[in-house]
Amino acid sequence: MAKKELTISLAAKCQLLFGFAVLVIIIGALAVPWLRMEQLAGREPVYGARIAADMALRWLHSNAAIRPGSISGSLSFDPKLWNRSSLANLNYPPPVVVPLAAPGVSPANADPITVQAVNIFSTDPMSNEYGVVANVFSREPVYQYAAPVRASQNCLTCHGEWNSFYSAAYKQLPVAALAASAPTTGPSTRPANAQDEFLAVLHPLVAVVRVDMPVHQDQEQLLINRLVIIVSGLIGGCLAIVVFYLITTRLILQPVRVLRNTAEKVAQGDLNIRSAISTGDEFQQLSDTFNAMLVTLKTSHDQLEATNRSLDYRVGELSQRNIDLYQDNRLKTEFLTNVSHELRTPLNAIIGFADLLAGNDAVSQDQRMARYVENIRVSARQLLDLINDLLDLAKIEAGKLVLRAERINVPDVCESLINFMKPLAQKKNIDLTLIVDGTIPLITTDPARFQQILYNFLSNAVKFTPQGGQVRITVALADEEMIRVSVTDTGPGIAPEHHKEIFEKFRQLDASVTRQHGGTGLGLTISKELAEMLGGRLELVSVVGQGTTFSLIMPLKPSVKTPS
C-alpha cells in the first residue's frame, strides 16, 4: 500500500489557523471602536452647533435692549463673549440670531436654511432644531444648523414692548386653534383671556438662531483616528502572531518533532534512542511513556534475538541430525536392499529343497520328518514374505519402485485371489465369497501392485477372522470415475483410536512377543504407499466386535504416478 503524502504539515496548519484566529479577533475587537468613532465624529458638529445655539439663546434672553422691529438684519453674537468660549478656540464662527418681522415670516435676506427652518418651526411647535450638511460655494462641507427662539409670558418681564408682536401672532391664529388651546365662551367667538393662554401654550416663534459649523476639521481627525486604529491593529496582530508562533513552536511543535524523529529512528531499527522532552506537561508524560515502551521493546528484542540464536543453533543441530539420519536411512535402505537380495537366493533354495523333501516318499511316510519339513517350508515362506516386504519398502523409500500400467479385469483379479486363499480359509472353516455389483469396466493400472494391495487385505482378513467366520470381497463403482474394491471380515474389529496407527511402519495392535498372529507390520504401510502411487486411496471402516472393511478406491482412467 502506497504511503499517503501529507498535503500540509502540522506546523503550517497551526500557524495558519492561529493567524486566521488572531486576524478575526483583532478585526472584531477594533470594529466596535471604529464604528463608535464614526458615530461620534458624525455627531461632533451637531454637538458644537447645539452648544453655540444655546449660548446665543442665553445671550439673547439676557439682552433686554433688543426690540421687535428694531433689527433690520441678523444679529451677531457678542464677539467678546464668543472669544472667551471654547468653540472660538476651535476656530468655529460665532452664531447669528435672525429675528422674524412677523409671525411665520422669514426676513427678506434670509438664506434657504433659515427659510426652511422657519417653515418647519412654525408648522410644528414641538420641533426644536434643524440641520443639514451642505457644500457652500465649493468649499469644505459645512453643517448648517438652526434652532427656534420662542416667546412666552416670562419674556414680557424684560421685553414688554413685544406685546404688539404677540398680538399680531394671536390675531393670525385660527379660532379652532384657540378653542383647542383655551376655554371658550361661545362657539364662534374668541375665548376670554385667550392671548394669555396663547402665550402660555403655543409659544410663538420670534427668531431663529443660525450656526454654520465646518466639517473639514472632523474629517481630518476621523482620518487620523482611523489610521491610529489600523496601525494599532497591525501592531497588535503582528505581536499576537509572533507570540502564538513562539508558543506553538516551543510548546507544541518542538515536542511533536522530537517524538516524530524518535519514532522514525525506531522504525529504522534503532531501539537505543530515547526521547528527551522536559516541558513538564502532557508531552513529557507522553515522552516518558514512549521511552518506557522503548525499554520494554528493547528488552523483548534482546530476548527474541537470544531465542533466535538458540533456535538457530538448535536448527543447525537438527539439520545436521537430519543429514545424519538421511545418510543412515540411505545406508539402511541400501543395506536392506542388498541383504534382501542376498537372503532371497539361499532362502529360495531352502524352500525348493523343502518342497523336494515334502514330495519324497520316505519323508512323507515318516510323520515326524514330514512335520519338520512342513515347519521348514512355512518358516521359509514367512521369511521370504518379510524379505519381500522389506525390499518393497526400501524401493519405495529410495524412489526406485517401477510401475507398469496395464488394462486389467478387476473381478478376475479378485477371483484369482480368492482361489489362492481358499486352502487357508478352508482350514479355519471361513466362508470366502466374491460379490460384483453391476458391470465393472476394465481399468488401467499396475496389476502386480494392485494385486499386492488386495492380497494384503485378504490375508489379514483371513488371519484375524475366527473359526467359522466370513470374508467377503465386494467390487462396485464408487462414482462415474472411481471403482471401489472392499474386503470385509467378521473379525474382532479395530478401535477408532487405532485407525491411524495400523498404517505406520512395523506397527501392530498386539506387539507383544506372545501375540497370537504373526506378521511384520509392513503390509498396510506398503499398501497405502502403493495406493497413492497408483492414484487411488485407502479407506477403513471398523466396529469393535463386528468386523473390519478395508477399501481400495481406484480411478477408472490411468493415473499411475512414478516415484520422485
Side-chain angles (χ1 to χ4, degrees):
M1 182 177 180
K3 183 178 179 180
K4 185 178 180 181
E5 296 183 357
L6 294 177
T7 57
I8 183 171
S9 64
L10 178 61
K13 188 183 298 182
C14 290
Q15 292 169 3
L16 289 176
L17 292 178
F18 282 143
F20 180 74
V22 168
L23 181 63
V24 172
I25 292 173
I26 291 179
I27 291 177
L30 296 181
V32 175
W34 180 287
L35 296 176
R36 184 59 179 170
M37 182 193 66
E38 294 285 339
Q39 294 176 356
L40 294 177
R43 293 178 182 179
E44 185 175 354
V46 179
Y47 293 152
R50 287 177 180 175
I51 295 173
D54 184 65
M55 292 176 61
L57 288 175
R58 286 189 281 109
W59 171 75
L60 183 62
H61 290 163
S62 64
N63 194 346
I66 299 176
R67 299 290 183 268
S70 63
I71 303 174
S72 59
S74 300
L75 179 64
S76 297
F77 191 75
D78 187 355
K80 295 181 180 181
L81 295 176
W82 180 254
N83 292 332
R84 292 197 298 267
S85 65
S86 60
L87 296 177
N89 296 331
L90 298 175
N91 296 325
Y92 288 160
V96 177
V97 179
V98 182
L100 302 184
V105 179
S106 301
N109 58 350
D111 60 276
I113 298 299
T114 303
V115 175
Q116 182 68 21
V118 170
N119 294 333
I120 293 175
F121 297 152
S122 299
T123 304
D124 185 8
M126 301 301 296
S127 60
N128 55 7
E129 64 180 355
Y130 173 73
V132 293
V133 177
N135 292 324
V136 181
F137 303 113
S138 301
R139 293 181 299 172
E140 295 294 334
V142 176
Y143 180 71
Q144 296 179 334
Y145 179 83
V149 180
R150 300 182 185 274
S152 64
Q153 288 179 331
N154 295 330
C155 295
L156 297 179
T157 305
C158 297
H159 305 277
E161 294 82 358
W162 284 23
N163 276 320
S164 60
F165 186 89
Y166 297 153
S167 298
Y170 168 74
K171 291 176 181 179
Q172 293 180 5
L173 195 66
V175 175
L178 293 175
S181 61
T184 61
T185 57
S188 300
T189 63
R190 293 181 181 272
N193 300 322
Q195 182 173 342
D196 295 337
E197 295 293 337
F198 164 70
L199 292 175
V201 177
L202 297 182
H203 303 297
L205 181 67
V206 296
V208 174
V209 178
R210 282 279 288 109
V211 181
D212 290 339
M213 304 296 292
V215 183
H216 67 280
Q217 295 180 356
D218 299 333
Q219 294 293 335
E220 293 177 359
Q221 188 65 32
L222 182 61
L223 179 60
I224 294 175
N225 293 338
R226 289 175 179 174
L227 293 176
V228 169
I229 290 178
I230 292 174
V231 172
S232 301
L234 291 176
I235 295 175
C238 293
L239 291 177
I241 290 175
V242 171
V243 171
F244 275 123
Y245 174 79
L246 294 177
I247 292 175
T248 54
T249 301
R250 294 182 179 274
L251 298 183
I252 299 176
L253 299 179
Q254 185 176 1
V256 171
R257 292 192 184 100
V258 173
L259 291 175
R260 184 190 64 184
N261 295 333
T262 304
E264 289 178 353
K265 292 183 179 180
V266 171
Q268 295 174 359
D270 186 5
L271 298 180
N272 295 319
I273 191 172
R274 295 294 180 267
S275 173
I277 297 178
S278 301
T279 57
D281 53 13
E282 286 79 0
F283 279 111
Q284 183 174 353
Q285 295 179 357
L286 180 60
S287 175
D288 295 340
T289 305
F290 191 71
N291 292 334
M293 181 186 67
L294 288 178
V295 172
T296 304
L297 186 62
K298 183 64 170 59
T299 303
S300 301
H301 183 266
D302 294 340
Q303 293 177 354
L304 184 60
E305 285 187 345
T307 304
N308 288 336
R309 288 193 295 268
S310 177
L311 290 177
D312 291 340
Y313 178 75
R314 296 292 181 85
V315 168
E317 290 183 347
L318 291 176
S319 299
Q320 185 62 38
R321 290 184 182 181
N322 287 334
I323 294 174
D324 295 341
L325 289 175
Y326 175 78
Q327 295 294 337
D328 295 342
N329 185 63
R330 184 177 61 82
L331 294 176
K332 180 263 299 180
T333 301
E334 293 178 356
F335 173 75
L336 289 177
T337 303
N338 295 332
V339 170
S340 298
H341 280 289
E342 295 298 330
L343 291 178
R344 289 178 66 180
T345 301
L347 190 59
N348 287 327
I350 292 173
I351 294 175
F353 284 115
D355 291 339
L356 290 176
L357 290 175
N360 190 295
D361 294 337
V363 175
S364 60
Q365 292 178 0
D366 189 347
Q367 294 183 356
R368 189 176 63 176
M369 291 296 297
R371 187 171 65 254
Y372 291 163
V373 171
E374 183 64 21
N375 290 336
I376 294 173
R377 292 177 60 190
V378 172
S379 299
R381 290 188 180 280
Q382 290 179 354
L383 184 59
L384 181 61
D385 292 338
L386 173 61
I387 293 173
N388 289 334
D389 290 342
L390 291 175
L391 184 61
D392 289 340
L393 181 62
K395 289 181 179 180
I396 293 174
E397 291 179 350
K400 296 181 180 180
L401 185 65
V402 180
L403 301 178
R404 296 176 177 83
E406 297 179 7
R407 293 182 64 80
I408 62 174
N409 189 316
V410 176
D412 292 346
V413 174
C414 294
E415 187 174 358
S416 63
L417 286 174
I418 288 177
N419 293 330
F420 182 77
M421 295 297 297
K422 267 186 178 181
L424 183 60
Q426 289 175 355
K427 290 181 179 181
K428 300 177 65 175
N429 195 21
I430 295 176
D431 183 13
L432 192 60
T433 57
L434 172 65
I435 300 176
V436 179
D437 187 6
T439 302
I440 305 301
L442 299 179
I443 66 172
T444 301
T445 186
D446 188 318
R449 302 306 174 184
F450 180 80
Q451 186 174 1
Q452 182 178 355
I453 297 172
L454 295 181
Y455 174 77
N456 285 329
F457 290 168
L458 191 59
S459 62
N460 287 337
V462 173
K463 182 190 302 183
F464 293 103
T465 299
Q467 293 284 342
Q470 295 180 353
V471 175
R472 182 176 69 252
I473 301 178
T474 304
V475 181
L477 291 176
D479 52 37
E480 296 180 356
E481 299 180 354
M482 307 293 287
I483 186 174
R484 179 190 295 271
V485 181
S486 302
V487 177
T488 304
D489 60 51
T490 57
I494 303 173
E497 60 271 16
H498 299 310
H499 284 187
K500 292 183 179 181
E501 297 178 3
I502 62 176
F503 290 100
E504 297 178 2
K505 299 176 183 178
F506 306 103
R507 187 64 178 269
Q508 290 183 331
L509 296 183
D510 185 8
S512 62
V513 179
T514 59
R515 62 193 180 199
Q516 181 179 358
H517 307 286
T520 61
L522 293 176
L524 293 177
T525 303
I526 296 174
S527 298
K528 182 179 179 182
E529 297 290 341
L530 291 176
E532 292 178 354
M533 294 177 64
L534 296 176
R537 67 179 187 274
L538 301 183
E539 286 186 358
L540 169 61
V541 178
S542 180
V543 180
V544 178
Q546 298 182 11
T548 304
T549 299
F550 284 94
S551 299
L552 171 62
I553 302 175
M554 294 288 295
L556 297 177
K557 297 180 181 180
S559 181
V560 176
K561 299 180 182 179
T562 58
S564 56

